[in-house]
Structure formats: structure tokens, C-alpha cells
Amino acid sequence: MEYEFEKRRITGGIGADDEYWRGLERGEFRLPRCAGCGRWMWPAHFRCGACGSWEMEWHRTVPKGTIYSWTRSWYAFERVKERAGDVPYVTALVEIEGAGGARVMGVLVGDETDLRVGAAVTGEILPPTEKAKGYPSIVWRLADASDAVPSPV
Ligand SMILES: [Zn+2]
């Protein structure tokens, strides 16, 4: 499926996050940071709430972090009926490592055995699909336990 960014802009969106979607389209995970004071801003805004600057810089960021919150959908709601075949599925809100507390939402894929708040995850950018309403998307996967730093006992 060909991604048509300008035709598929998020309904009701204000366009401040356009660079996020353009980044995903190129396979890049990018988040905005104020050029004036350096504050990370997600969701994206046109103007910094901390210093008032209108200048944003979009930084290519490693899509990894920890689960801040998550929920399991047991029903195929009308606005996401494309995911009816996936029910039940988990959506995670992930606090991105090194991005000032920015939290990015996405569907969790793969093994859910260690699913919990605080669990480490890595993101994978998917090309546009019907399930994602024609947008590129990021999905989260629990980080391999073998990658975790063992806790001192
Ligand atoms: Zn600022």
C-alpha cells in the first residue's frame, strides 16, 4: 500500500506532528525538541510551552524505552474495526529513553509473558497497512530478557 501523507493526514490533527509521520514513512523514529530551551515535546506542538519558542528540531531517536502504561482491548471498536481480527490486543504507552519523558503509544506485538509497567521495549516501524488506516506505525515488542542487566541480589 502506498502511503499518501498529504491525503491521509490525521483527522482533526493540527499538523504539528507532520514530521513524525514523514519520519516513520522513511523508517525513522523522530521526536520534536524545542530549539530554544531543549525541552522534548510529545505530543508535538507548534510552540514551546516552557520558553515560547516557535522553533522545533526533529531528532532521530532510538525507538526504545519502558512501558509507562498499557491496556488490553477486548472489543473491536468502530474506529479501529480494522483490528477486529487481533482482539484481544495490547496497546502500550512507552516512555522513550533519553527523550525527556516523551511517551509514544503503539500496539504491542510478540510475547507478552513479561508484560508489566516498567518493562523494557523496543520499537519497530511498520510500513502503512490497512490495519493502521494507511499510516506507517510503530509497534512495541518486549525487550529480550537476555538483554536485561541482571539485578544485584
Ligand atoms: Zn522551549
Side-chain angles (χ1 to χ4, degrees), residues 15-27:
D17 58 359
D18 283 358
E19 289 304 311
Y20 174 78
W21 301 104
R22 288 190 178 106
L24 289 187
E25 184 181 21
R26 293 190 302 263

Side-chain angles (χ1 to χ4, degrees), residues 20 62 81 89 97 110 140 143:
Y20 174 78
V62 177
K81 61 182 181 301
Y89 63 91
E97 190 176 294
W140 300 106

Side-chain angles (χ1 to χ4, degrees), residues 35-74:
C37 70
R39 181 179 176 198
W40 292 89
M41 265 183 273
W42 190 255
H45 302 285
F46 286 113
R47 189 172 189 198
C48 178
C51 77
S53 172
W54 292 86
E55 298 298 319
M56 298 298 142
E57 296 172 338
W58 286 80
H59 291 267
R60 190 165 182 181
T61 306
V62 177
K64 64 188 266 190
T66 55
I67 294 179
Y68 178 81
S69 181
W70 64 271
T71 188
R72 187 180 309 275
S73 295
W74 293 93

Side-chain angles (χ1 to χ4, degrees), residues 1-10 133-135:
M1 163 183 242
E2 186 175 339
Y3 180 56
E4 301 171 86
F5 176 80
E6 299 304 334
K7 293 181 184 171
R8 290 190 168 270
R9 178 168 280 168
I10 302 284
K133 297 187 177 293
Y135 298 102

